[in-house]
Amino acid sequence: MKNLENYKIESKRVLFRADFNVPLVNGKITDTSRIIAAKSSIKKLISNKNKIFLVAHFGRPKGKIINKYSLSFILPSLKEIFNVDKIYFLKNLDEESIKTITEEMQRGDLCLVENIRFLKEEEKIDLHFAKRISNLFDVYVNDAFSASHRNHTSITGFAKFLPAVAGNHLIMEIDNINFFLENSKKPNMAIVGGSKISTKIQLLNNLIEQFSTIAIGGAMANTFLLANKKNVGNSLIEENLNEEAIKVQLKAKKLNCKLILPVDAVCGKNIQDTHPVYRKIDEISSDDMILDIGEITTKLINEEIINSKMVLWNGPVGAFEYKPYDKATNVIAKIIKFNAKKLNIDTLAGGGDTISAIKNAKAEDGFDYISNAGGAFLEWLEGNESPGVIALKENNFS
Ligand code: 3PG
Ligand code: MG
């Protein structure tokens, strides 16, 4: 795979895919790590006097121009983080506009391209479009590991027509995740949470083969409880996945992987309910909604963590965006923070919500590596190499 060390990019027109899909709350970016992630590659390309076009998406406008998804809000943060005075902004990724701006730009200048998902050519993979645009550039760089699971024009299309080079952050993500997966030390445990089991079945099936213990929390645990004939009251469930939940448990049993499911819970009447009640799993009533795992379950998980040599975490164990249902997630983050180094436990975390939870708990210190990626992290753990990474590997333009 070409990268910024083994492939020289100097005084070139660079098409640079970044992931600037940052969390935005009331117009404010609450986590800039995806911008910071691109900094190392961008700095290098600037100092090598390239004209750099930054291509990224924001949200899911699905091929339509929707103002609230414009990427222009990110310009001040880009300037600050990349430490540059000026960044051009290209509203339309068409040949005329690209030519005009390229001529105006000095070497070492940056130009941000408007949300690439405003174009219908992005998600449907339009190779004619990719070719036309690629003709105006010398090289393509992909530094967006967290978007590389998408088979979209800006991820796999440009790589068909230009020398395609892996950015520094993309390499760092792959190296760190692979290192963790390839150097497995037993006993190892995975903590898997989040709201939907449907998005995590393949992950669970793959992890069962590699981990000694898997703790399941979040609303996805409810589907398992229901499959095990527990009353889960008003809790979020995916009823049609009963059978899958049973299959996962059978596979775990067969492969000697211990599954930890909640034995107690913190419930509210709804997610806004700030007066939670504590329940043993056998005592859930019909108007209860399970919103966090309870203390006994948390303790079971914590004991398992400190007796493990490796811990992988994807997905909060409760509805952590709504206080007080962030409690167990925070406790787990802190247990990892205070014990990982001391007990020599290798730790890896990833997934958008997991990252926020770890940051909320100020527990970053406890992790050897925190991936910036959500879906891409998940798919990598499922054993699928991202289309974007495959495109880089297969690229043989010099
Ligand atoms: C993400 O935030 O997970 C990536 O930027 C990909 O975004 P998507 O899930 O909308 O494709
Ligand atoms: Mg996503």
Side-chain angles (χ1 to χ4, degrees), residues 19 21 34 57 59-60 117 146-147 149-150 374-375:
D19 188 357
N21 198 24
R34 283 188 170 172
H57 72 279
R60 294 176 178 167
R117 289 191 183 167
S146 48
H149 59 314
R150 302 296 182 207

Side-chain angles (χ1 to χ4, degrees), residues 238-302:
E238 289 171 281
E239 211 160 349
N240 55 336
L241 289 174
N242 251 11
E243 221 168 285
E244 284 296 340
I246 290 170
K247 273 197 212 151
V248 166
Q249 294 180 90
L250 286 174
K251 179 169 175 180
K253 198 163 180 193
K254 199 167 141 206
L255 297 182
N256 224 350
C257 166
K258 176 170 151 192
L259 283 189
I260 301 180
L261 286 172
V263 292
D264 61 347
V266 178
C267 302
K269 296 288 166 254
N270 55 57
I271 209 146
Q272 262 96 29
D273 187 350
T274 49
H275 300 284
V277 289
Y278 171 85
R279 301 268 194 244
K280 295 268 175 55
I281 286 302
D282 290 320
E283 295 165 354
I284 308 276
S285 57
S286 58
D287 61 345
D288 283 338
M289 193 177 208
I290 301 176
L291 292 166
D292 199 4
I293 57 171
E295 275 172 22
I296 302 176
T297 313
T298 312
K299 217 170 144 218
L300 286 174
I301 294 177
N302 289 345

